[in-house]
Amino acid sequence: MPTQSRAAVSLQSALPATDADEWEDLLHRATTRPKRAPDRKQDRSKRTEQQILNAALRVFARDGISRSRIADIAAEAGISTSTLYEYYKSKEDLAYDLPTSHLVTFFEEYRTAVAGRTSARDKLQLYLSMSADFAREHAEWGRLFYLEIWPSVLVSETELRHSVDDFARIVLYLIDEGVRQGEFPAGRNTYETASLLLGAVNQVIITWLLYRRPRNLTKASAEITERVLNMIANEKD
Amino acid sequence: MPTQSRAAVSLQSALPATDADEWEDLLHRATTRPKRAPDRKQDRSKRTEQQILNAALRVFARDGISRSRIADIAAEAGISTSTLYEYYKSKEDLAYDLPTSHLVTFFEEYRTAVAGRTSARDKLQLYLSMSADFAREHAEWGRLFYLEIWPSVLVSETELRHSVDDFARIVLYLIDEGVRQGEFPAGRNTYETASLLLGAVNQVIITWLLYRRPRNLTKASAEITERVLNMIANEKD
DNA sequence: ATTTTTTTCGACGTTTTATCGGAAATATTG
DNA sequence: CAATATTTCCGATAAAACGTCGAAAAAAAT
């Protein structure tokens, strides 16, 4: 039971003893980012909070963050504007907190799905395909995250930044692992390789979110991921 | 004919007679996008317009579009808010018109620089390196364009969209040309290859704009471009 | 010099954001 | 259960940003 022992260890020391530990640690941190919102006492509040998040996602995805109005979000959530301000201190605050929970869900789903895989390449393939699929399945979230928040300068000032960093860090780690295990040739700049992979897949996702091209995102992202991983694996040292 | 690769961009004019013509036509259209702003009579106006654009670029790059205030931009430009509204009907209008002139300048610089090159691969290498260098040299513009406007859903509703389409269309065309001339293996989805190239380079540019990493963008972008082009050229059919 | 056109700006109305004090709902205590 | 305390919600209203308009100033034309 790796999860439990991991949790125990991470309380004690920051430095994992083994590679497997480090990988577990990475996934663990990604799935346990602290929630920014202060805990509410009543159940009613949790419902309200959820209504706000649902409404905000719909409105932001429909109108874009800048054109969305707080009043519209509140109305959509069935509460008054001033109540919304009890939960989020500004529109920006809401927009940049909103994607967190989905992101954590994605990491959790990946963590479960990756359990069987052993090779770094398989793990990478799964990770990138799943990220595209997740954007397709949660297209409203995808629009918000990929088209408005991730590239934004503002993200670097928010808590969400940590999750975004986790996102890239996992790719980076897996490439390193692949090199260590001889699946990928050494002698290449790992950051560069990561940019290549992440950039290519994100480009496909973004194009899909904007134009719904290619028609079949799942197939297209699996294809490009496979292709790039092949290229990387077959590169001359 | 790879009709699929044409799908994402809409070619509007009649088909030129030869390849060389088509290439010239592509560059010509990119450098002659009509200006949206109505022509002003007095020189004073042109100066004012320029002051607005300079001020807006500074303010947008510093605060981000959403946090920027029209009043701040007007003050920075040394004019009153109401005068600004004589030139642009809203903040959004200004933000999405602003990057056009720089983009046209980029296409012009590329057009001049590419004149000597003959192989499609050389042209691609130059194009992508120059795009990174241009972002580095005009970092404020780069922040606005790459981090706020390009990925935005809103861009698809603006005139700027045409220039953005040109940007991708050129990569697409050069890959096609490379395949036709036997520099790149056939049998690959051109659109996919373009995503790969553009995604990788943009990822590097965006990371540099956000974190100033890698330190030397010129070197890094040349390196990753070279690497990806090699990969593509050496791919098995 | 006078008239016409273009450009600028201050004054002001509108929309959106944000705050605050108290009412309503829920939880706690005796 | 009643009284009290806490939490949540909302109407009224302040503050800030957006956007309009008519008239003054500047430039051009006659």
Side-chain angles (χ1 to χ4, degrees):
Chain A
M1 40 178 193
T3 310
Q4 225 164 352
S5 64
R6 172 79 255 118
V9 170
S10 64
L11 288 176
Q12 316 258 325
S13 76
L15 293 176
T18 70
D19 279 2
D21 276 351
E22 193 178 345
W23 174 239
E24 269 308 316
D25 200 53
L26 207 53
L27 292 180
H28 180 258
R29 275 207 310 270
T31 50
T32 54
R33 290 282 171 205
K35 302 225 60 176
R36 180 212 52 82
D39 270 348
R40 297 263 158 181
K41 315 285 174 172
Q42 305 181 0
D43 285 354
R44 180 171 56 147
S45 290
K46 303 211 193 313
R47 250 179 293 128
T48 303
E49 171 121 42
Q50 202 50 53
Q51 281 163 5
I52 293 175
L53 291 174
N54 292 343
L57 187 54
R58 276 197 300 279
V59 174
F60 283 149
R62 191 188 63 215
D63 300 339
I65 296 175
S66 64
R67 287 179 183 174
S68 300
R69 281 162 317 182
I70 293 276
D72 291 343
I73 296 171
E76 182 99 6
I79 59 171
S80 74
T81 326
S82 40
T83 298
L84 198 151
Y85 278 98
E86 291 286 329
Y87 290 78
Y88 296 92
K89 74 175 205 294
S90 69
K91 189 170 76 171
E92 199 176 286
D93 203 49
L94 172 56
Y96 283 84
D97 184 53
L98 185 45
T100 308
S101 67
H102 280 79
L103 215 38
V104 167
T105 304
F106 168 72
F107 287 129
E108 282 167 352
E109 288 184 7
Y110 176 66
R111 193 187 196 178
T112 304
V114 82
R117 318 281 178 121
T118 49
S119 81
R121 183 185 161 141
D122 276 1
K123 289 182 194 163
L124 260 177
Q125 158 75 41
L126 184 68
Y127 187 72
L128 296 170
S129 301
M130 277 185 72
S131 73
D133 248 12
F134 195 82
R136 185 183 56 77
E137 281 163 20
H138 307 90
E140 289 186 331
W141 170 86
R143 279 173 87 83
L144 189 63
F145 182 66
Y146 283 95
L147 305 182
E148 303 222 47
I149 289 182
W150 191 348
S152 159
V153 274
L154 270 42
V155 79
S156 52
E157 300 169 15
T158 65
E159 274 304 306
L160 181 58
R161 191 191 77 246
H162 296 124
S163 292
V164 172
D165 286 351
D166 288 337
F167 198 89
R169 211 188 330 256
I170 286 175
V171 173
L172 215 45
Y173 176 87
L174 287 176
I175 292 170
D176 262 341
E177 182 175 301
V179 171
R180 280 200 305 276
Q181 302 192 348
E183 298 177 58
F184 302 133
R188 293 291 175 173
N189 182 332
T190 312
Y191 288 95
E192 197 181 280
T193 309
S195 300
L196 184 45
L197 268 168
L198 217 45
V201 175
N202 285 353
Q203 179 79 20
V204 172
I205 294 174
I206 286 171
T207 308
W208 184 83
L209 288 168
L210 280 172
Y211 308 108
R212 287 295 186 275
R213 297 277 156 72
R215 205 66 76 73
N216 187 336
L217 176 64
T218 302
K219 184 158 146 278
S221 66
E223 224 174 81
I224 200 171
T225 303
E226 192 67 33
R227 182 174 171 194
V228 178
L229 284 172
N230 269 336
M231 286 171 145
I232 292 171
N234 294 331
E235 253 187 313
K236 292 186 284 283
D237 269 288
Chain B
M1 247 339 213
T3 51
Q4 182 179 17
S5 47
R6 300 294 152 118
V9 290
S10 53
L11 298 171
Q12 43 238 24
S13 73
L15 293 177
T18 71
D19 280 3
D21 277 350
E22 192 177 345
W23 174 239
E24 269 309 315
D25 200 54
L26 208 54
L27 291 180
H28 180 258
R29 276 207 308 270
T31 50
T32 54
R33 289 284 171 205
K35 302 224 63 180
R36 181 211 51 84
D39 269 349
R40 297 263 159 182
K41 315 284 175 172
Q42 304 180 2
D43 285 354
R44 181 169 55 148
S45 290
K46 302 209 193 317
R47 252 179 291 128
T48 303
E49 171 121 42
Q50 202 49 53
Q51 281 163 5
I52 293 175
L53 291 172
N54 292 342
L57 187 54
R58 276 198 299 279
V59 174
F60 282 150
R62 190 188 62 216
D63 300 340
I65 296 175
S66 66
R67 286 180 183 173
S68 298
R69 314 271 165 257
I70 292 275
D72 291 342
I73 296 170
E76 183 100 4
I79 58 172
S80 74
T81 357
S82 39
T83 298
L84 198 152
Y85 278 99
E86 290 287 329
Y87 290 79
Y88 296 93
K89 73 176 205 294
S90 69
K91 188 170 76 170
E92 202 174 283
D93 203 49
L94 172 55
Y96 283 84
D97 184 53
L98 185 45
T100 308
S101 67
H102 280 80
L103 214 39
V104 167
T105 303
F106 167 73
F107 287 130
E108 282 166 352
E109 288 183 8
Y110 175 67
R111 193 186 196 180
T112 305
V114 82
R117 318 280 178 123
T118 49
S119 81
R121 184 187 161 141
D122 275 2
K123 289 182 196 166
L124 260 177
Q125 158 75 40
L126 184 68
Y127 188 72
L128 297 169
S129 303
M130 276 185 72
S131 74
D133 248 14
F134 195 82
R136 184 183 56 77
E137 281 163 19
H138 308 91
E140 288 185 331
W141 171 84
R143 277 172 90 85
L144 188 64
F145 182 66
Y146 283 94
L147 304 182
E148 304 222 47
I149 289 182
W150 191 349
S152 159
V153 272
L154 270 40
V155 80
S156 52
E157 301 170 16
T158 66
E159 275 303 306
L160 180 59
R161 190 192 77 246
H162 296 123
S163 292
V164 172
D165 283 352
D166 288 338
F167 199 89
R169 207 187 335 249
I170 286 175
V171 173
L172 217 44
Y173 176 87
L174 287 176
I175 292 170
D176 261 343
E177 182 175 301
V179 171
R180 280 200 306 275
Q181 303 192 347
E183 299 176 58
F184 302 133
R188 292 290 176 175
N189 182 333
T190 312
Y191 186 79
E192 194 181 282
T193 309
S195 299
L196 184 45
L197 268 168
L198 218 44
V201 175
N202 285 354
Q203 180 78 19
V204 171
I205 293 174
I206 286 172
T207 308
W208 183 83
L209 288 168
L210 280 171
Y211 308 108
R212 289 295 186 275
R213 294 278 151 70
R215 205 65 74 74
N216 186 338
L217 176 63
T218 303
K219 184 156 146 281
S221 65
E223 224 173 83
I224 200 171
T225 303
E226 191 67 34
R227 183 175 171 195
V228 178
L229 284 172
N230 269 336
M231 286 172 145
I232 292 171
N234 296 331
E235 249 186 315
K236 292 187 285 285
D237 270 289

